[in-house]
Amino acid sequence: MANAEHGTRGSTVDLDSGAANDRVGLARTVLWLVAAILALRQMAHVLRLPPGERLTDLETWTGTNGVLHVRGDLYDREHFTGTPFSGLVLKPLTHSAEQALGVAWTFSTLLFVAVLGTVAARALPGPVSRRSSLLAAPVAISLLMVSLPVRNALTTGQTSIIPVLLVLLGCFAVRGERGSGVLIGLGAALQPTVLLFVPLLWLTGRSRAALSTTATFTAATALAWASMPHDSWTYWVHHVAGAGLGARPDGLANQSLHGALLRLGLEGPLEIGLFLALAAAVVVLGLRRAVRYARDGQLLLAVALTGCVAVAISPTAWQHQLLWVLLAMVGRAGAKARDRLAWPAVVVLVMTLPGDVLLPNMASLQPVRDNVPLLTALAAACLIPFLPRTSEHFRSPVPTTYAEPAPARWSRVPLVPFWRRVLSRPNLLLELLLIRVGYSAYSHIRLEATAGRETAEAHGRTVVAIERALHIDVEHWANHSVQHVQWLLSFFNFYYKTFHFIIPLAILAVLYVRRPVDYRWARSALGFATLLGLVGFWFFPLAPPRLMPGMDFIDTVHGPQDLANPDYGAMTDVTNQYAAMPSLHFGWSLWCGIVIAVVAPKLWMKALGLLHPLFTVCAIVATANHWVLDAVGGATVVGAGFALVYAMAGPRAVQLPGPPAPRAATWGGTAMPAGRAGSGSGASK
């Protein structure tokens, strides 16, 4: 009987293990397929570009009139920004056919990215679970494919991926310090800031690798100097290791301390002195941290931090040279599980999205927005407190506390059972990034969702006909009536322009601080409503009353518009003028009213909250910015948003996890009832 029971239990464990392996295998296959699709998409994108727009840097080097093809100084026209050794290596490519070279270069770059992702995945600091090790390579390759540095290198034909790959191969794939030093030395000959890895190697006990790196760099540079003495003098002496070559150093593309100081208006000896002082501080602090993590067994993180230091102190760090920042996402920051994803999410977003998507277009935020990659590199090198492997939270972060789901009216709800309500507040940085990136995507899609003026006006006439049939066409009366009451007109104009964003953000902030469980519920409903609103903008472009010719509406907010001009003036450059159905202006205000009415503790608060959608619907109609049916559409998508949250996650109400059941006391190996044990304990006192 015991053997039978043991055998049954063993077979069950085997079945569970086999099912888990099957799921991991399926996930791995899907991820590799995604990586392959991304690679093919990038290659197709590059090869579909017109000849004058693809591999632009490679063309200026190896083309018919390229600096490597024509006799003379490499740096006469400042198109070539690489080292003289790079020019020596690339010189044979001038004899290749242009079309064949473009295809081979693009394919080789993608191959380098695949190798880079695979090496980085295998170098993850342990302990790493078997599932993570199997899925890490395709995930790493996919992230590299969509990153801005790789996309930029593919489009321009740059060689910046090669030094990063040589360093990783030297640190993790090649056995023997001499061989690894040779690879890293070649990387330094292509990109001089790679020499920062020499002190990292020396201070971590790899002195032979440090010496062979230095020797290889010296030999390669001497070879180039012997072959091209004038070019070498120009690069190393006249331009101080390439400083000043290429685009303007104060341009946004230069994400280094030198570029940031120039953008802040500093120049001359003051800027140079401040740059050297800051660079020295970053080198000392960054390399100390890198050495500490290397000795801790996190060599990949140490390599990434050293690369981030190189990005910061280089006179010019162009976008295609920022791969080091992406590698820094391997560091583990945060003792709590809810904070563990914050740093990787920041790095991925910074390396895949432009700065104007991550931060709003405000003058006060411009210095931060213009230097987001640099600030991320500096944070990784000098600030982020990555956990050492000796920390108790390195492998097992503090778990997140979840609420028990409340019973739903239908047995199939929730449709997404793993969508659990978190009792604690979500990570603030992740939430701010989610809101900002989500709104940027919403604004971009909203701007693109237009089918033209004629279609939008035809839909407007259809809406007018429906409203007249329903006897709710009050827009013209309301619009002209408020013209005779100046204070009311000013109030509606102010309300329309001011409270659309302020009140939803204020409600989210209060819920985040005071009601974190309700915050997630409300935020998700608002997100679903906004997505549904985008569907309406895309499939039903609608001209608002103020842009309908021949209907005598007055645009009280934006002023008179030239209806003979298809662009309708400057407002079209800011937003899509035909994104009227549904009215998210009213929809968001209705969301505010519903949330306040549900969560506010007092009756007067609930009533005050419901005034906001009332004032908003009056404002959007009186100012001729929306039809009445637009408000109906806004109410519809908001109701659908709340319904989707209910269907997917269950009711808003949650049950707090109860205290653990009292453990039964034992006496001589025999369990006693809990109540009896308690009374006995009390009697003994």
Side-chain angles (χ1 to χ4, degrees), residues 285-286 289 293 305 343 375-386:
L285 183 57
R289 282 163 50 89
Y293 288 116
L305 298 189
W343 171 248
L375 294 175
T376 307
L378 289 173
C382 305
L383 296 177
I384 301 298
F386 298 112

Side-chain angles (χ1 to χ4, degrees), residues 259-470:
L261 293 175
L262 291 175
R263 286 190 290 272
L264 290 175
L266 300 176
E267 57 183 14
L270 175 62
E271 187 275 330
I272 295 175
L274 184 58
F275 166 65
L276 293 177
L278 291 175
V282 171
V283 168
V284 172
L285 183 57
L287 286 182
R288 285 183 61 184
R289 282 163 50 89
V291 170
R292 184 167 69 248
Y293 288 116
R295 291 173 177 172
D296 183 59
Q298 301 186 65
L299 183 57
L300 180 59
L301 177 59
V303 169
L305 298 189
T306 306
C308 289
V309 172
V311 168
I313 70 167
S314 176
T316 52
W318 308 120
Q319 190 179 79
H320 52 81
Q321 298 172 330
L322 302 180
L323 268 180
W324 300 111
V325 184
L326 187 61
L327 294 177
M329 66 177 294
V330 300
R332 301 186 187 184
K336 299 179 180 179
R338 68 183 180 93
D339 299 328
R340 188 57 62 85
L341 290 178
W343 171 248
V346 169
V347 174
V348 170
L349 291 175
V350 168
M351 288 293 101
T352 55
L353 299 175
D356 56 357
V357 173
L358 299 174
L359 293 171
N361 187 18
M362 299 170 57
S364 58
L365 294 177
Q366 182 175 351
V368 179
R369 188 178 63 250
D370 292 347
N371 301 290
V372 168
L374 169 63
L375 294 175
T376 307
L378 289 173
C382 305
L383 296 177
I384 301 298
F386 298 112
L387 294 175
R389 295 175 67 214
T390 54
S391 171
E392 60 178 330
H393 302 301
F394 182 84
R395 185 171 185 178
S396 301
V398 177
T400 303
T401 304
Y402 295 96
E404 298 292 336
R409 297 181 179 180
W410 295 280
S411 59
R412 295 184 180 273
V413 173
L415 298 176
V416 185
F418 55 82
W419 186 341
R420 295 185 291 174
R421 300 282 174 82
V422 180
L423 293 178
S424 59
R425 297 181 186 89
N427 183 274
L428 180 59
L429 181 59
L430 282 179
E431 290 300 307
L432 293 176
L433 284 174
L434 174 65
I435 293 173
R436 173 57 196 171
V437 173
Y439 181 73
S440 297
Y442 156 76
S443 302
H444 179 74
I445 297 174
R446 187 178 190 267
L447 187 61
E448 295 296 327
T450 177
R453 174 186 179 183
E454 295 181 358
T455 302
E457 291 178 355
H459 289 163
R461 289 188 289 270
T462 301
V463 168
V464 171
I466 295 174
E467 289 190 353
R468 287 174 178 172
L470 297 174

Side-chain angles (χ1 to χ4, degrees), residues 32-54:
W32 275 114
L33 181 61
V34 169
I37 293 174
L38 290 174
L40 291 175
R41 181 181 179 277
Q42 294 291 1
M43 187 170 186
H45 170 71
V46 173
L47 297 181
R48 278 202 307 264
L49 292 174
E53 298 180 12
R54 68 184 181 204

Side-chain angles (χ1 to χ4, degrees), residues 121-134 136 332 389 394-395:
R122 294 187 176 183
L124 289 175
V128 178
S129 65
R130 179 176 177 272
R131 177 182 301 179
S132 298
S133 62
L134 290 175
R332 301 186 187 184
R389 295 175 67 214
F394 182 84
R395 185 171 185 178

Side-chain angles (χ1 to χ4, degrees), residues 43-87:
M43 187 170 186
H45 170 71
V46 173
L47 297 181
R48 278 202 307 264
L49 292 174
E53 298 180 12
R54 68 184 181 204
L55 304 176
T56 51
D57 288 348
L58 183 64
E59 173 65 21
T60 60
W61 304 340
T62 62
T64 305
N65 297 318
V67 294
L68 295 176
H69 197 81
V70 179
R71 293 182 179 180
D73 192 352
L74 282 176
Y75 307 103
D76 277 345
R77 290 176 288 176
E78 297 187 349
H79 289 308
F80 188 72
T81 59
T83 63
F85 180 74
S86 301

Side-chain angles (χ1 to χ4, degrees), residues 358-676:
L358 299 174
L359 293 171
N361 187 18
M362 299 170 57
S364 58
L365 294 177
Q366 182 175 351
V368 179
R369 188 178 63 250
D370 292 347
N371 301 290
V372 168
L374 169 63
L375 294 175
T376 307
L378 289 173
C382 305
L383 296 177
I384 301 298
F386 298 112
L387 294 175
R389 295 175 67 214
T390 54
S391 171
E392 60 178 330
H393 302 301
F394 182 84
R395 185 171 185 178
S396 301
V398 177
T400 303
T401 304
Y402 295 96
E404 298 292 336
R409 297 181 179 180
W410 295 280
S411 59
R412 295 184 180 273
V413 173
L415 298 176
V416 185
F418 55 82
W419 186 341
R420 295 185 291 174
R421 300 282 174 82
V422 180
L423 293 178
S424 59
R425 297 181 186 89
N427 183 274
L428 180 59
L429 181 59
L430 282 179
E431 290 300 307
L432 293 176
L433 284 174
L434 174 65
I435 293 173
R436 173 57 196 171
V437 173
Y439 181 73
S440 297
Y442 156 76
S443 302
H444 179 74
I445 297 174
R446 187 178 190 267
L447 187 61
E448 295 296 327
T450 177
R453 174 186 179 183
E454 295 181 358
T455 302
E457 291 178 355
H459 289 163
R461 289 188 289 270
T462 301
V463 168
V464 171
I466 295 174
E467 289 190 353
R468 287 174 178 172
L470 297 174
H471 302 287
I472 58 173
D473 54 327
V474 299
E475 294 88 358
H476 190 276
W477 168 81
N479 180 239
H480 283 261
S481 296
V482 297
Q483 307 301 317
H484 306 292
V485 186
Q486 187 59 41
W487 68 267
L488 188 60
L489 176 62
S490 300
F491 172 75
F492 282 149
N493 287 343
F494 177 78
Y495 207 91
Y496 179 85
K497 294 185 294 185
T498 305
F499 293 103
H500 181 45
F501 297 106
I502 292 178
I503 294 184
L505 291 176
I507 290 174
L508 288 174
V510 171
L511 291 178
Y512 180 86
V513 175
R514 302 294 298 273
R515 307 283 289 270
V517 179
D518 287 330
Y519 167 82
R520 293 176 179 270
W521 162 77
R523 180 252 285 152
S524 301
L526 181 62
F528 283 133
T530 304
L531 288 176
L532 293 174
L534 289 176
V535 175
F537 300 157
W538 192 272
F539 290 101
F540 196 79
L542 173 64
R546 62 185 176 84
L547 296 183
M548 287 296 293
M551 292 192 178
D552 194 29
F553 282 100
I554 302 172
D555 189 345
T556 64
V557 176
H558 308 104
Q561 297 287 314
D562 182 11
L563 300 184
N565 183 353
D567 293 334
Y568 295 138
M571 284 303 300
T572 305
D573 296 333
V574 179
T575 182
N576 178 10
Q577 300 294 281
Y578 304 137
M581 172 62 80
S583 170
L584 288 185
H585 220 106
F586 174 71
W588 288 2
S589 69
L590 181 62
W591 172 88
C592 295
I594 293 174
V595 171
I596 294 175
V598 170
V599 304
K602 297 183 179 180
L603 182 60
W604 68 267
M605 295 179 180
K606 300 177 186 290
L608 188 63
L610 291 175
L611 288 178
H612 178 49
L614 175 61
F615 289 156
T616 301
V617 72
C618 293
I620 63 175
V621 173
T623 58
N625 278 282
H626 283 285
W627 308 97
V628 173
L629 285 182
D630 295 346
V632 175
T636 302
V637 297
V638 167
F642 282 109
L644 281 173
V645 173
Y646 180 88
M648 299 176 69
R652 181 188 69 89
V654 295
Q655 297 178 353
L656 299 179
R663 298 177 61 182
T666 59
W667 180 264
T670 304
M672 298 176 60
R676 183 177 174 185

